[in-house]
Amino acid sequence: MNIALNITKTIQDWLVSFMPESVSSIAAMVLVALMYLVIFAVAGLYLVLLERRVAAWFQLRIGPNRVGPLGLFQTMADALKLVSKELTGTVKADKFLYNLAPYFVIISSLMALAIFPFTQGFQAFDINIGIFFLIAISSIGVIGILLGGWSSNNKFALIGAMRSGVQTISYELSIGLSLLTMVLLTGTLQLSQIVEIQKNGWLIVQGHIPALIAFMIYMIAGTAETNRAPFDMVEAESELGAGFHTEYSGMKFAYFFLAEFINMFIIAAIATTIFFGAWLSPFGITQSIPWLGVFWFLGKTLILVFLMMWFRWTFPRLRVDQLLTLEWKYLLPINLVNIVVMAIIVWLNITINL
């Protein structure tokens, strides 16, 4: 049995002791899902708080400091406010699609979280096509954005949704090719096996210069994929109000808002897993004390999240033509050359070993 499945298997073995096996398997899935929902909610709330703190630091402001000690409960107060707000919408909106759209965004983010190896044995769902699964699931979120913008019957929301479609389709190519570069190096799509390979050194080191280039392109494209500045044409406040979610309020708006921050965490978590050894420490500590791996995984991920926030508060917003030029004329050609270089390096290494 793969060690990455221990969390689900352990819960199921415990449930089998006092309920039928057929019921215990379903109950185990429900418990694991609830656990990940809690992780999802808490991570989203405190990433919002981190964003505000980082913004305040960059702009020499104080930031949240009133609600709770050091302002730690500020985002929880904001969440309660959004839950209590009235759900409004336009009269001419397509009600079914308008109400359905936020769930596409939130469910795709939640599904992606399930296959990350937070530490040894703490992975709810480990499959042999892990990277392919992540790319496929992340593509579903844009459907929610397109549906929300179109069904709102608002021209600003529609423009934002159309921009999202163009941007996501474009930058997904660079994300996919960057990850494919590392798949060439590892020879597997399974995340647990990729982590296992990195016990001898992180892939960003093993892969030499092509791995470093792949990482840089991945972070740029990942920032664009999450619709964050300087690639936030989808929500350009100075032009489109709130963009694709202009007509949303209350908890439905919160779903879009929360999904943006969780997607940022997911982009950073993928980079942590593929390039920086996931839960593995460079000192070998986590292999002897597995629970420490959670802190290493979260620490690396939060550093990359901070990097993405640094982008937002440093660079001005790009125009649509600049955004597409960056992808099609620069990132994509560099990525194609880089993947060929990585293939040559892998082939030469195999040849020398033979």
Side-chain angles (χ1 to χ4, degrees):
M1 186 191 69
N2 195 312
I3 58 172
L5 297 176
N6 276 356
I7 180 174
T8 307
K9 186 70 168 62
T10 302
I11 293 174
Q12 187 173 349
D13 289 344
W14 170 66
L15 292 173
V16 164
S17 62
F18 56 88
M19 64 174 61
E21 186 173 353
S22 57
V23 178
S24 67
S25 60
I26 297 173
M29 293 179 191
V30 171
L31 286 175
V32 170
L34 289 174
M35 181 173 61
Y36 272 81
L37 278 171
V38 172
I39 294 172
F40 186 96
V42 172
L45 287 175
Y46 282 96
L47 283 172
V48 175
L49 180 64
L50 178 63
E51 174 86 87
R52 290 174 170 177
R53 286 290 190 186
V54 170
W57 181 57
F58 272 98
Q59 299 172 355
L60 300 179
R61 296 185 288 105
I62 296 174
N65 67 341
R66 292 287 186 272
V67 185
L70 302 175
L72 290 175
F73 299 149
Q74 178 64 57
T75 49
M76 295 181 70
D78 292 338
L80 290 172
K81 178 190 72 174
L82 287 171
V83 169
S84 61
K85 275 185 172 290
E86 181 184 0
L87 297 175
T88 61
T90 56
V91 176
K92 294 185 178 180
D94 186 317
K95 297 298 182 184
F96 175 72
L97 296 180
Y98 175 85
N99 293 322
L100 180 65
Y103 295 99
F104 269 100
V105 177
I106 209 81
I107 290 173
S108 65
S109 300
L110 185 57
M111 289 176 68
L113 278 179
I115 69 168
F116 287 117
F118 287 93
T119 188
Q120 186 173 358
F122 195 153
Q123 186 177 5
F125 187 46
D126 185 31
I127 51 176
N128 58 3
I129 53 167
I131 293 178
F132 179 77
F133 177 84
L134 281 172
I135 294 173
I137 288 298
S138 63
S139 303
I140 294 176
V142 72
I143 297 176
I145 294 175
L146 290 169
L147 286 179
W150 182 83
S151 64
S152 295
N153 198 27
N154 178 297
K155 60 182 179 183
F156 299 115
L158 180 59
I159 293 170
M162 294 297 103
R163 286 181 178 178
S164 175
V166 171
Q167 182 172 323
T168 302
I169 290 170
S170 299
Y171 281 88
E172 272 183 356
L173 290 172
S174 283
I175 288 179
L177 287 173
S178 298
L179 296 178
L180 187 58
T181 303
M182 305 313 293
V183 170
L184 276 176
L185 181 62
T186 60
T188 180
L189 293 167
Q190 191 165 355
L191 296 183
S192 59
Q193 290 185 10
I194 290 174
V195 175
E196 191 71 21
I197 290 168
Q198 295 180 78
K199 287 184 176 180
N200 299 320
W202 295 346
L203 287 184
I204 199 165
V205 178
Q206 292 187 47
H208 309 294
I209 293 176
L212 183 60
I213 293 172
F215 169 69
M216 293 170 66
I217 293 175
Y218 173 82
M219 289 305 297
I220 295 169
T223 304
E225 186 79 2
T226 54
N227 300 324
R228 290 180 57 80
F231 307 101
D232 60 338
M233 296 303 300
V234 178
E235 304 175 27
E237 295 91 347
S238 56
E239 305 171 35
L240 304 180
F244 64 92
H245 55 63
T246 298
E247 296 295 345
Y248 285 89
S249 67
M251 203 57 201
K252 291 176 184 174
F253 165 78
Y255 286 156
F256 284 115
F257 187 67
L258 187 63
E260 177 184 324
F261 285 89
I262 293 297
N263 287 336
M264 182 170 56
F265 179 87
I266 289 168
I267 291 293
I270 293 173
T272 297
T273 305
I274 303 301
F275 296 98
F276 296 103
W279 50 269
L280 294 171
S281 86
F283 313 111
I285 302 171
T286 52
Q287 295 182 45
S288 55
I289 313 174
W291 59 267
L292 282 177
V294 174
F295 297 100
W296 277 103
F297 182 87
L298 293 178
K300 296 174 192 176
T301 302
L302 289 176
I303 289 172
L304 296 179
V305 167
F306 173 78
L307 181 63
M308 296 173 74
M309 292 178 178
W310 195 344
F311 290 165
R312 175 173 184 175
W313 301 108
T314 303
F315 299 110
R317 179 183 297 138
L318 299 178
R319 297 195 311 265
V320 173
D321 61 316
Q322 293 172 330
L323 183 144
L324 295 177
T325 297
L326 175 64
E327 165 60 16
W328 292 101
K329 291 188 177 180
Y330 296 97
L331 296 185
L332 187 59
I334 292 171
N335 233 331
L336 291 171
V337 172
N338 193 50
I339 197 170
V340 172
V341 173
M342 178 63 84
I344 293 170
I345 289 173
V346 172
W347 177 74
L348 286 175
N349 187 47
I350 293 172
T351 305
I352 291 169
N353 291 336
L354 290 174

